[in-house]
């Protein structure tokens, strides 16, 4: 008689993380032997995404799925690093509406499904450096913001781009407090917004974004401090004048409009010379423009980076 023994070394389907899935897919791409590609779906709503490798990739090893999804800043769900993972499950992302308006020739309204069809999805492994002094490496899935803006056709008056997060206190407990002025807002100069590094992310580790990372769509500007990378966006407006951003309005002395990662300019209350990579001991030096100087420094030639923080 044949007795079938369960293979105790193989993980149960529920234990196959998006990270393991991502690594095995990457091995397939590299031509290595592939394990079974079982589908791992986390408790809430995540769906696998098809993405091809994009042109820019950080060389360091990506942070783990757990690190990326359990240590977050998303004040709409509280100010503690673990609050977003605890509370963001209450956020309902379907249906969703993202509008692109202001100084454009073709105002756009995108529903949830349209967010994934703006352009072919790419994977971009980027460093993220928080102004507080920690960093991660995140395998985003998304498309260049420029692809969406080109569809809307900015006019010559669209010199800046303003971004607005969802305001829905019933599902965002932080918005029932005065922690920040709501809704969260950010902004970029048009050349920064059109730069090929600037991404709208709809996923990470090959699946749709966990709520705590800004589902269903968030900005990623890898050469700037993390607070520029606004989450759960509902509006993108082309505007003529530099828009006020949330952190600037809260404390203009500590947080500027540009917020380019700069180890040579300290935060008034701490040094920015180095950083702690989540999951590592010790600190590593912070790089000018978070390591993307070759790609972006020319946009700031003639700008005094000590003054325009
Ligand atoms: N709407 C909104 N977007 C936000 C924030 C926030 O509090 N609210 N925090 C910012 C900060 S300070 C950082 S460092 C990054 C963190 O992104 P992550 O949690 O996906 O790593 O999100 C940014 N985007
Ligand atoms: Mo941050």
């Amino acid at each position: 008689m044949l007795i079938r023994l369960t293979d105790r070394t193989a993980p149960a389907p529920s234990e196959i993380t998006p990270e393991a899935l991502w690594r095995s897919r990457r091995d397939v791409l590299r031509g290595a032997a592939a394990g079974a590609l079982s589908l791992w779906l986390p408790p809430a709503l995540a769906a696998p995404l098809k993405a091809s490798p994009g042109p820019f990739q950080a060389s360091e090893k990506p942070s783990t799925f757990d690190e990326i999804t359990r240590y977050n800043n998303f004040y709409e769900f509280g100010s503690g690093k673990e609050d977003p993972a605890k509370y963001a499950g209450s956020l309902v992302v379907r249906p969703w509406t993202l509008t692109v308006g202001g100084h454009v020739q073709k105002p756009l309204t995108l529903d949830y499904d349209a967010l994934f069809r703006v352009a072919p999805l790419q994977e971009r492994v980027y460093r993220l450096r928080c102004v507080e002094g920690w960093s991660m490496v995140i395998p985003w899935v998304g498309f260049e913001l420029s692809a969406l803006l080109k569809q809307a056709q900015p006019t010559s008056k669209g010199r800046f781009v303003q971004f607005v997060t969802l305001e829905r206190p019933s599902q965002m407990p932080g918005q029932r407090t005065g922690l920040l002025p709501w809704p969260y807002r950010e902004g970029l100069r048009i050349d920064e917004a059109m730069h090929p590094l600037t991404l709208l992310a709809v996923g990470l580790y090959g699946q749709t974004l966990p709520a705590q990372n800004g589902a269903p769509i968030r900005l990623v500007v890898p050469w700037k401090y993390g607070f520029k990378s606004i989450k759960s966006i509902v509006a993108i407006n082309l505007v003529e004048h530099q828009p006020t951003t949330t952190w600037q309005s809260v404390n203009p002395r500590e947080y500027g409009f540009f917020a380019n990662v700069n180890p040579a300019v300290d935060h008034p209350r701490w040094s920015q010379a180095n950083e702690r990579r989540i999951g590592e001991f010790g600190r590593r030096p912070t790089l000018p423009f978070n390591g993307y100087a070759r790609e972006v420094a020319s946009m700031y030639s003639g700008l005094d980076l000590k003054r325009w923080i």
Side-chain angles (χ1 to χ4, degrees):
M1 194 174 108
L2 206 88
I3 301 171
R4 234 172 223 277
L5 292 174
T6 316
D7 179 0
R8 295 224 152 262
T9 60
S14 61
E15 291 166 12
I16 299 173
T17 63
E19 188 185 331
L21 196 60
W22 181 84
R23 290 187 195 287
S24 63
R25 266 204 226 109
R26 198 174 54 171
D27 290 343
V28 173
L29 287 173
R30 284 180 180 158
L37 292 189
S38 327
L39 211 61
W40 185 94
L41 292 179
L45 299 168
L49 292 172
K50 258 211 176 115
S52 46
F56 306 99
Q57 306 285 347
S59 49
E60 298 105 293
K61 175 173 156 290
S63 304
T64 67
F65 184 79
D66 269 11
E67 287 161 352
I68 295 169
T69 59
R70 292 189 193 186
Y71 191 92
N72 302 98
N73 269 336
F74 199 170
Y75 276 33
E76 283 81 344
F77 297 100
S79 58
K81 297 287 172 263
E82 288 163 19
D83 289 342
K86 261 190 235 157
Y87 303 119
S90 57
L91 178 65
V92 177
V93 300
R94 292 181 92 146
W96 194 265
T97 307
L98 168 65
T99 60
V100 186
H103 292 293
V104 294
Q105 283 175 37
K106 295 221 162 83
L108 305 172
T109 302
L110 289 83
D111 65 12
Y112 181 86
D113 291 324
L115 302 177
F116 301 88
R117 289 199 228 104
V118 171
L121 298 180
Q122 294 179 9
E123 182 168 85
R124 299 279 184 95
V125 183
Y126 283 167
R127 283 178 290 276
L128 181 141
R129 168 57 155 85
C130 178
V131 74
E132 296 164 335
W134 51 268
S135 64
M136 294 197 198
V137 178
I138 307 182
W140 301 109
V141 175
F143 52 88
E144 292 176 11
L145 171 62
S146 70
L148 180 62
L149 295 181
K150 280 174 192 161
Q151 289 175 25
Q153 300 177 23
T155 69
S156 58
K157 281 191 169 172
R159 294 170 56 236
F160 292 88
V161 187
Q162 181 201 45
F163 304 84
V164 187
T165 291
L166 176 72
E167 185 170 20
R168 193 183 284 162
S170 63
Q171 294 172 8
M172 297 175 138
Q175 288 184 341
R176 305 198 286 265
T177 75
L179 201 52
L180 286 178
W182 312 109
Y184 194 100
R185 292 167 198 271
E186 259 306 332
L188 293 173
R189 227 167 47 185
I190 188 71
D191 58 329
E192 300 175 321
M194 296 299 286
H195 194 281
L197 274 170
T198 304
L199 217 63
L200 281 173
V202 293
L204 62 84
Y205 267 123
Q207 60 169 52
T208 51
L209 282 178
Q212 57 267 41
N213 296 94
I217 188 162
R218 60 91 57 85
L219 185 69
V220 185
V221 196
W223 70 94
K224 293 178 180 284
Y225 290 118
F227 66 83
K228 297 297 283 185
S229 293
I230 182 174
K231 297 177 170 180
S232 304
I233 304 170
V234 293
I236 298 177
N237 298 312
L238 279 287
V239 295
E240 192 172 354
H241 303 290
Q242 185 176 303
T244 302
T245 67
T246 295
W247 283 103
Q248 229 187 339
S249 74
V250 168
N251 195 337
R253 216 175 66 82
E254 299 192 354
Y255 308 104
F257 176 80
F258 286 98
N260 293 316
V261 173
N262 191 345
V265 176
D266 288 340
H267 185 279
R269 290 182 282 138
W270 58 81
S271 162
Q272 294 291 31
N274 51 54
E275 66 200 53
R276 183 173 69 90
R277 179 67 48 87
I278 299 301
E280 286 182 3
F281 297 101
R283 299 179 75 85
R284 51 167 79 208
T286 288
L287 303 172
F289 298 102
N290 199 25
Y292 301 94
R294 197 160 51 99
E295 288 86 1
V296 303
S298 65
M299 286 195 290
Y300 309 101
S301 59
L303 197 70
D304 178 358
L305 296 173
K306 292 220 147 85
R307 170 154 187 235
W308 298 102
I309 58 164

